[in-house]
Amino acid sequence: MNSIFWPKRKQHTLRVLQLDTPENFSAKLIGSLNQLVRQANLVRELERAGEKDSALVQTILVTIANDLARASGQLTDPASRDAMGLIAEGLMGSIWVKDTGAQLAALDEQELVSYVGPLSTWLGKSRETGFSAFFGTPNPGLQAVSDVVDHYHERSVANLARQLGAELRRLPACSYKIIDLIAIGGEADTFPKHFAYFMPEDQGIKYSPVKRTIVFANTYLSLFQQISREQQGIFGWTDDDLPADRDMARYLMSWFRGHDLGHSIVLPETDYRRLSGHDRWGSMVAQEAVADVFGFLLALSPDVADSLELEPDKMVRLYVLELFRYLRRGPAQFPDAGAAYAQLKMLEDAEVLTVIAPGRIRIDCAAFPAAMTRIARTLLNAVMSDNLETFERFLQTYGVHRARATDVLFGLSLCETSLFYEQSLLESE
């Protein structure tokens, strides 16, 4: 839990993402946010030193609450101000943290999205939280993309149910808040970077009546542009085969919102708790695979694809590059990497993916969408139908944590590249 870099590698290559300070922020607001990030870094260092409950940490928390109050006074949006007040009250213990988490998740900030407090890190690294802080400004353009996916969600799922011949149901889904990150500190600024947090679950509050996903749009786009995209030569693709730079974020966000909604699609008999009791890691991997596949299919549903002008071939290539970025972080160290392996292995079995030679892979883009539909049927049967025997057979075949004597990277190497944040806000005095 004390490592800055995870997983362990012989080397780490860093690519810089510049986090810019909004020009309309006052000097007082910038100064307060600067202090809040630095204080989050300090608390996290004290946690690493075993001083989590020390008097010094309690003193810093009081200072953080005061800085939150000062920052709030520089904001005009009521929801943005309320968020800072709730965070301060939660840190001071004046209201129950569980209540704070739900109230924060219910907000729709229009000026600044803030969080200071305990935050989950990568599950394979630790199940403990680490003190963190992040701040970001709403991205209305990409929020509108997410809203399109939401608008057609009911009809898209109904179409999928008919296509798959399954009784798909939609559980209540979490809301979505898309922001551009401007400052971050504490555990959240370690490596590799998260581009989304699921609140309040990632605050350590597992059950909440209100949930919200906060997405760092600039982080997500940079992960694709600086890491995923570098793989295009493996497949013989050029820039012209991918969405144009101005369109890239729209493609990414349509799929990722679909992924988020995919977690809420179930069959009447779906019981992930039973799967977790059988193989907890395998259950998490399988659930991520379900969300990935449904996310892909939802993004390319006719209503969504037409409204957002998404070209299937370009979405396929973007999706493949993302699957391999996830996989190459460490196949057995992240549930989403395990999910990527399962999908890629099924695509290989379907002869849609072919390893030509080490470092060279062919993808049949024309056959890809139909193959993903067949994969969805496989997941309906093996993961969502509450049959442990079928689930176990699925894990034996497609579970990377069960794989033995096989090349789980499809002839490629691990990726050692991570993002590093250059934060202009921290350069201000």
Side-chain angles (χ1 to χ4, degrees):
M1 180 62 174
N2 288 336
S3 175
I4 302 298
F5 287 92
W6 185 86
K8 292 183 178 180
R9 298 279 190 268
K10 290 183 178 180
Q11 66 175 9
H12 294 271
T13 301
L14 299 182
R15 299 290 170 79
V16 173
L17 170 58
Q18 178 70 39
L19 302 185
D20 294 322
T21 305
E23 294 181 358
N24 62 333
F25 277 18
S26 69
K28 288 184 178 179
L29 176 57
I30 292 170
S32 294
L33 298 181
N34 179 312
Q35 288 303 306
L36 286 165
V37 172
R38 295 182 186 280
Q39 289 155 4
N41 288 334
L42 180 55
V43 172
R44 184 68 191 102
E45 287 302 319
L46 288 167
E47 287 179 341
R48 291 190 180 100
E51 298 294 325
K52 179 178 180 179
D53 299 318
S54 67
L56 178 55
V57 167
Q58 296 306 310
T59 299
I60 297 171
L61 292 181
V62 173
T63 304
I64 288 174
N66 290 333
D67 278 324
L68 284 166
R70 279 190 285 271
S72 176
Q74 298 298 311
L75 299 172
T76 58
D77 170 50
S80 301
R81 294 168 63 102
D82 289 347
M84 288 193 164
L86 287 168
I87 294 166
E89 290 175 3
L91 290 173
M92 292 295 92
S94 56
I95 59 176
W96 289 106
V97 173
K98 286 186 178 180
D99 294 336
T100 307
Q103 291 176 61
L104 282 171
L107 293 174
D108 185 18
E109 303 93 319
Q110 298 301 307
E111 189 175 7
L112 182 68
V113 175
S114 308
Y115 180 73
V116 184
L119 202 58
S120 295
T121 186
W122 299 104
L123 183 62
K125 178 180 179 181
S126 175
R127 295 185 182 182
E128 298 178 4
T129 58
F131 203 85
S132 301
F134 65 75
F135 303 94
T137 53
N139 186 316
L142 291 178
Q143 191 70 50
V145 171
S146 171
D147 291 345
V148 168
V149 181
D150 287 359
H151 177 74
Y152 290 113
H153 182 49
E154 182 176 1
R155 194 153 75 184
S156 297
V157 172
N159 288 338
L160 274 178
R162 287 191 293 271
Q163 186 178 1
L164 297 170
E167 188 181 348
L168 299 181
R169 294 184 178 179
R170 296 179 301 117
L171 299 177
C174 64
S175 63
Y176 223 52
K177 190 67 178 180
I178 301 174
I179 66 174
D180 287 314
L181 188 66
I182 62 169
I184 191 166
E187 179 63 29
D189 195 28
T190 57
F191 303 89
K193 306 301 186 189
H194 294 260
F195 71 85
Y197 284 100
F198 309 102
M199 309 295 266
E201 183 176 342
D202 283 342
Q203 296 170 239
I205 303 169
K206 189 166 181 62
Y207 301 104
S208 171
V210 184
K211 299 180 180 181
R212 173 170 76 161
T213 299
I214 298 177
V215 184
F216 303 160
N218 49 345
T219 300
Y220 191 19
L221 180 60
S222 188
L223 284 169
F224 184 85
Q225 297 285 40
Q226 299 205 64
I227 301 177
S228 301
R229 192 169 190 161
E230 287 197 346
Q231 305 171 116
Q232 65 188 39
I234 294 168
F235 309 95
W237 298 334
T238 68
D239 289 349
D240 290 339
D241 294 315
L242 299 174
D245 287 347
R246 65 180 180 276
D247 300 325
M248 196 70 73
R250 187 174 77 248
Y251 276 77
L252 288 168
M253 208 56 65
S254 61
W255 168 72
F256 191 59
R257 179 50 174 164
H259 166 97
D260 217 46
L261 293 172
H263 278 293
S264 68
I265 299 175
V266 297
L267 295 173
E269 64 269 28
T270 299
D271 187 351
Y272 289 133
R273 290 173 299 181
R274 287 195 71 214
L275 302 190
S276 183
H278 178 74
D279 184 325
R280 186 169 186 271
W281 189 264
S283 174
M284 289 188 291
V285 166
Q287 290 179 60
E288 290 301 321
V290 167
D292 281 356
V293 172
F294 278 127
F296 176 85
L297 295 175
L298 289 173
L300 286 185
S301 63
D303 291 321
V304 173
D306 289 348
S307 296
L308 295 177
E309 299 180 349
L310 305 176
E311 298 180 36
D313 280 2
K314 291 185 177 181
M315 177 62 85
V316 165
R317 296 183 187 106
L318 176 143
Y319 186 68
V320 167
L321 292 174
E322 278 291 271
L323 287 179
F324 275 99
R325 177 177 70 82
Y326 280 109
L327 177 75
R328 296 174 67 200
R329 290 191 306 176
Q333 293 167 309
F334 302 84
D336 47 17
Y341 171 79
Q343 293 170 75
L344 292 168
K345 187 64 177 172
M346 285 186 274
L347 289 165
E348 185 179 46
D349 289 349
E351 299 183 346
V352 173
L353 180 158
T354 305
V355 178
I356 301 171
R360 291 183 60 208
I361 297 173
R362 183 185 66 82
I363 299 293
D364 186 342
C365 292
F368 195 98
M372 290 295 282
T373 300
R374 293 194 297 273
I375 289 173
R377 291 194 179 97
T378 297
L379 294 172
L380 287 171
N381 180 56
V383 177
M384 302 173 69
S385 295
D386 193 25
N387 186 320
L388 291 183
E389 291 183 4
T390 307
F391 178 57
E392 173 60 24
R393 287 196 297 272
F394 174 83
L395 292 181
Q396 289 176 5
T397 306
Y398 299 113
V400 70
H401 63 303
R402 304 280 196 91
R404 298 290 183 272
T406 186
D407 178 12
V408 298
L409 291 172
F410 300 88
L412 304 179
S413 60
L414 287 171
C415 178
E416 299 170 333
T417 305
S418 297
L419 290 184
F420 172 82
Y421 293 133
E422 191 73 50
Q423 305 186 50
S424 62
L425 186 143
L426 295 185
E427 298 170 4
S428 60
E429 295 296 333

